[in-house]
Amino acid sequence: MDIVLGTHQYGKAEVRLVHVVRDGERHRLTDLTVSVALAGDLADTHLTGDNTKVLPTDSQKNTVYAFARRHGIGEIEEFGLRLARHFVDSQPVITRAIVHLQQHAWNRVGGHSFTRSAAETRTATVTVDGPDTVVVSGLTGMVLMNTTGSEFFGFVRDEYTTLPEAHDRILATAVDGRWRHASSESDDWAASFAEARRHLVEAFVDTYSLSLQQTLYAMGQRVLEHRPEITEVRMSLPNKHHFLVDLTPFGLDNPNEVFYAADRPYGLIEGAVRRDDAPRWEESWWNL
């Protein structure tokens, strides 16, 4: 029986970077977590411990900081592109670089004062793989709720089913969504992100939902209909269940007003919505 080395990569995970642009008395703050993963002709370090082709992960971390000082940040897609292209162009054995970025939101409360926001986290993943460059933008932790306009009925019943049908329920989720761009070149990454986010939210609001699966499709469909630069949208939507509390032991009715918000277990709905002519989205571009 032969034993061989399978797919492998290595890198520096979760580099914390805070960048301040000191424009007079009004500063600009960017707070990032950056992860790098490199792949290429690196079998020797696994098979024999030969590190002559290995760029230390500490050097990768230092590159993140040096590029922030030398080039600034800009939009996170731009920063990720600069880093990924640098690693592939500067290291002869590296054929693929994946840079994943999370941007943590702060709200301005003064010229140089900020408060950490509870809003969702903006994300970007840039992959340079040989001649191909892929940019995936997204967000995570965007909590949405409709207090009506949602039903769930007509589902399969077996001997273990106890769930009653619901004809007026709360629908809540925390969106983890990512979307692939048709091109790695853009005139305005910020506007593209803002508009994609807006259409996700508006589709959630406007859809009378018979299932969270239906809502996921409607959200992705709306983004693709309005944003031609995006070719595929992938989402992971936990169903943040809200159960009606039985108040009859206290002599009270409950006309859909008092709920118990359960944190677990929860249903998890995941799916992709894509243009039918979109190129295949490799899993390595989806998960770091």
Side-chain angles (χ1 to χ4, degrees), residues 116-227:
R116 182 69 176 263
S117 172
E120 71 272 4
T121 299
R122 179 178 171 181
T123 66
T125 303
V126 176
T127 302
V128 174
D129 191 353
D132 300 321
T133 300
V134 176
V135 178
V136 177
S137 300
L139 52 79
T140 184
M142 182 173 69
V143 180
L144 299 172
M145 175 188 287
N146 284 332
T147 55
T148 191
S150 176
E151 303 184 50
F152 187 58
F153 63 89
F155 46 82
V156 172
R157 290 189 172 276
D158 65 8
E159 64 270 33
Y160 303 111
T161 301
T162 60
L163 184 71
E165 294 188 341
H167 296 282
D168 186 7
R169 66 171 183 167
I170 287 177
L171 183 67
T173 189
V175 179
D176 181 357
R178 300 182 187 184
W179 45 93
R180 178 179 173 175
H181 294 269
S183 170
S184 61
E185 306 299 326
S186 173
D187 294 330
D188 197 339
W189 294 109
S192 178
F193 172 82
E195 285 298 292
R197 181 191 184 280
R198 179 172 71 86
H199 289 299
L200 287 174
V201 173
E202 290 182 356
F204 181 87
V205 171
D206 293 343
T207 300
Y208 189 97
S209 179
L210 300 178
S211 67
L212 188 52
Q213 289 91 330
Q214 177 196 7
T215 299
L216 181 151
Y217 183 80
M219 293 167 74
Q221 180 182 34
R222 182 153 178 162
V223 171
L224 295 178
E225 287 175 345
H226 289 86
R227 303 305 304 178

Side-chain angles (χ1 to χ4, degrees), residues 30-90:
T30 304
D31 185 351
L32 301 180
T33 299
V34 182
S35 295
V36 177
L38 306 180
D41 181 14
L42 296 165
D44 289 349
T45 189
H46 289 274
L47 301 177
T48 69
D50 181 354
N51 296 320
T52 54
K53 298 177 181 177
V54 175
L55 178 71
T57 65
D58 190 67
S59 302
Q60 298 171 36
K61 174 205 69 180
N62 292 340
T63 303
V64 172
Y65 293 135
F67 270 47
R69 176 65 185 97
R70 179 170 294 153
H71 306 290
I73 303 294
E75 298 301 319
I76 58 175
E77 291 87 354
E78 296 169 344
F79 190 55
L81 280 164
R82 283 195 293 270
L83 287 167
R85 286 170 175 162
H86 165 78
F87 288 123
V88 170
D89 292 345
S90 66

Side-chain angles (χ1 to χ4, degrees), residues 239 241 243 260-267:
N239 196 338
H241 300 298
F243 298 111
Y260 165 63
D263 65 343
R264 66 195 63 181
Y266 53 86

